[in-house]
Structure formats: structure tokens, C-alpha cells
């Protein structure tokens, strides 16, 4: 009597081994080029990053300088009289898209009238103290909170008894930091707290460390200088560009290697998934069907699901099943007929 052979998952095991080998190769390929990325950064690349940073710092300086110049122009055109300044608030605010609020501060530090958003809630007497010598100033209004605010302050008299204030839009300062090829950029105050960035940030948070997840990076910083009439606020622009984004041959090779590994892994997953769905699963179903047929199950009709080699085998097994079923039916009919046919009577012996 023949024993049923032990089922061996040879094809399935081979597929799993191929998947494991391709996955290991895809993961190991980028590791080969890790050491190649540790090369000195060329001096022109360093200078280029420094120039990008200095340019961003200069754009911030220009926004601050234009704010002071615009306020000074309003003070001159209105002769510094509060009544005329109040009338000019709305028109001047609409002419400067970097301002969120424009208002007058009187001798008591109060705001009799404003245009735009509501002024930041604070004691404004320190603003008058900033310009008591008759010189305009750039003032940081807060050092905590959710939104960092700063303003340009211009005195209306030599003693700084009254002042015209324009609060800057925070997004206006962050927008000038967005430039191609600069990497991540932050505007930080004199305490090195973040007050602007070209990416999402938490106000007044500290700068991220070198181990923030980007790997080795090229960092540069530039002071935000003042103008001929305004002292610099002590701010800095800090930029950081990951070394992997620099146009260096070693990093280009590494990026291409990582891309090749990712593409190879993706193609392998698709091919192995297709092999499992169209070959392995139909073969497993065919194995169960053939085993049931060998065990004597001739009542289950076999339907080919795909017009391929596996489907051809299923059709052949269906023909075998039909013939076996027909043979069983014929054998059963013959046996029944034999049972129903009466036995022949013995031939009687002649009498003497």
C-alpha cells in the first residue's frame, strides 16, 4: 500500500528565501556607502551657505528698515500732530503689507486710536523710554507666548513723549527666510530663542541640537544689522543644511544607491506578491483538490479560475473526476443489475 508523501513547501520556502535575500540586499546596499559620505566640505560650498545666510539676514534688516522709514514718513507728512496721524492710520496700514497694527502711543502710554489688528496687550511706557532720545527703535514686544511680536517705534517729539508704533506680521519675517537651497533657517533673538523660521516652529523655543535627526549638517549664522538710523535688535539668522543635501559626489552616490535599493525592494515586493497570488495560492488550492480526488471525492466539481498552466491542470483533473465518477456509476449499475437478475434453475435429471 502506497503512503501519501509528506508535503514539502519547497516552492513556498524558495519564495520566502528570495524575499529575505532581496530585503537584506536592499537594506545592506545603502550601508556600503556610509563611509564615503564622511569627506571634507569644499570651501566654495561653505561660502555659498554663508552667503545664503547673510542674504536672509539682509532681507530681515530691510523689512525692519522699511518699517522705520514708513513710520518716519507718516510722522513728517502729518507734522507729528495726533489728530492728523489718527486720520492717516488706515491708509498707511494698507500701504504696508508687513504691518499687522498701526497706532499712536500718547504721553500716558495709552493707545487713543489704532488701525488693523488689536495692539499687543502690554505696558507701553517702556516703548516711550526706548525713543526718549528722539531716535527710532526696533523693539521686541514679548519674550514668551505663542506668537512672537516685534514693532518699529518712531518718536513724535524730541523728548519721546509720544510715539508712532507699527507691529510687524510674524509671517512677514518668516517669509523672507524661505529661499531655495538655504536648508532650514531660523530667526533668533538676543537670547537665541526662535522668533521666526522657514518651517513650522514653536515660538521662543531653543534651536534644535546637532543630533536632531538630520545627521551631520552645515551650519551658518549672520547678525541682523541695523540701519544708519536704527540700532540692530541683536537678532541673528541661523541656517542648517544636512550634509546629505549638499551637491557632493559622495552624497550623490549615496542618494542614488538608496534610490536603487528602494526601487529594488519595491519591485521585489510587487513581484513576490504577484507570484504568491497567481502561482502559490492556486497551487495550494490545486494540491488540496488533488488530494481530495485521490481520497475518493468525485462529487466536487472543479472549476479553473485562471486560463494558465494551473487552470489547464484543473481542467484535466475535472476530466479525470468525470471519468472516475462515470466508471463508478457504471460499476454500481452493473452490480445492481447482477443482484436483480434471478439465478438460473438447475437442469432436472431425466427419470428412468
Amino acid at each position: 500500500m502506497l503512503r501519501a508523501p509528506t508535503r514539502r513547501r519547497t516552492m513556498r520556502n524558495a519564495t520566502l528565501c528570495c524575499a529575505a535575500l532581496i530585503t537584506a540586499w536592499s537594506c545592506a546596499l545603502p550601508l556600503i556607502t556610509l563611509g564615503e559620505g564622511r569627506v571634507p566640505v569644499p570651501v566654495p560650498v561653505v561660502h555659498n551657505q554663508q552667503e545664503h545666510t547673510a542674504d536672509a539676514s539682509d532681507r530681515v534688516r530691510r523689512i525692519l528698515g522699511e518699517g522705520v522709514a514708513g513710520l518716519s514718513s507718516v510722522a513728517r507728512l502729518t507734522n507729528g500732530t495726533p489728530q492728523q496721524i489718527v486720520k492717516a492710520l488706515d491708509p498707511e496700514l494698507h500701504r504696508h503689507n508687513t504691518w499687522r497694527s498701526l497706532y499712536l502711543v500718547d504721553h500716558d502710554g495709552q493707545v487713543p486710536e489704532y488701525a488693523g489688528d488689536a495692539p499687543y496687550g502690554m505696558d507701553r511706557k517702556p516703548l516711550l523710554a526706548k525713543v526718549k532720545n528722539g531716535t527710532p527703535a526696533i523693539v521686541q514686544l514679548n519674550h514668551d507666548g505663542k506668537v512672537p511680536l516685534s514693532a518699529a517705534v518712531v518718536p513724535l517729539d524730541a523728548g519721546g513723549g509720544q510715539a508712532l508704533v507699527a507691529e510687524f506680521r510674524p509671517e512677514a519675517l518668516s517669509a523672507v527666510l524661505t529661499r531655495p537651497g538655504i536648508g532650514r533657517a531660523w530667526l533668533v533673538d538676543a537670547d537665541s530663542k526662535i522668533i521666526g523660521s522657514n518651517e513650522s516652529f514653536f515660538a521662543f523655543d531653543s534651536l534644535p541640537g546637532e543630533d536632531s535627526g538630520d545627521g551631520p549638517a552645515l551650519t551658518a549664522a549672520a547678525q541682523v544689522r541695523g540701519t544708519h538710523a536704527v540700532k540692530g535688535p541683536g537678532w541673528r539668522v541661523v541656517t542648517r543644511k544636512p550634509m546629505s543635501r549638499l551637491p557632493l559626489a559622495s552624497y550623490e552616490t549615496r542618494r542614488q544607491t538608496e534610490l536603487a535599493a528602494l526601487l529594488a525592494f519595491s519591485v521585489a515586493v510587487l513581484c513576490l506578491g504577484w507570484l504568491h497570488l497567481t502561482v502559490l495560492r492556486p497551487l495550494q488550492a490545486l494540491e488540496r483538490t488533488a488530494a481530495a480526488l485521490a481520497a475518493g471525492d468525485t462529487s466536487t466539481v472543479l472549476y479553473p479560475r485562471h486560463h494558465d498552466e494551473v487552470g489547464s491542470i484543473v481542467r484535466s483533473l475535472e476530466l479525470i473526476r468525470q471519468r472516475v465518477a462515470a466508471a463508478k456509476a457504471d460499476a454500481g449499475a452493473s452490480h445492481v443489475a447482477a443482484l436483480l437478475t434471478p439465478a438460473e434453475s438447475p437442469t432436472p435429471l431425466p427419470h428412468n
Side-chain angles (χ1 to χ4, degrees), residues 170-189:
E171 59 271 19
L173 297 176
S174 295
V176 298
L177 303 177
T178 303
R179 288 294 183 275
I182 197 173
R184 293 199 65 182
W186 300 274
L187 178 62
V188 298
D189 60 14

Side-chain angles (χ1 to χ4, degrees), residues 4 286-298 317 320-321 324 328:
L286 179 61
E287 178 190 14
R288 293 190 295 269
T289 300
L293 182 61
D297 180 12
T298 58
L317 287 178
I320 294 174
R321 185 198 67 79
V324 171
K328 280 186 177 183

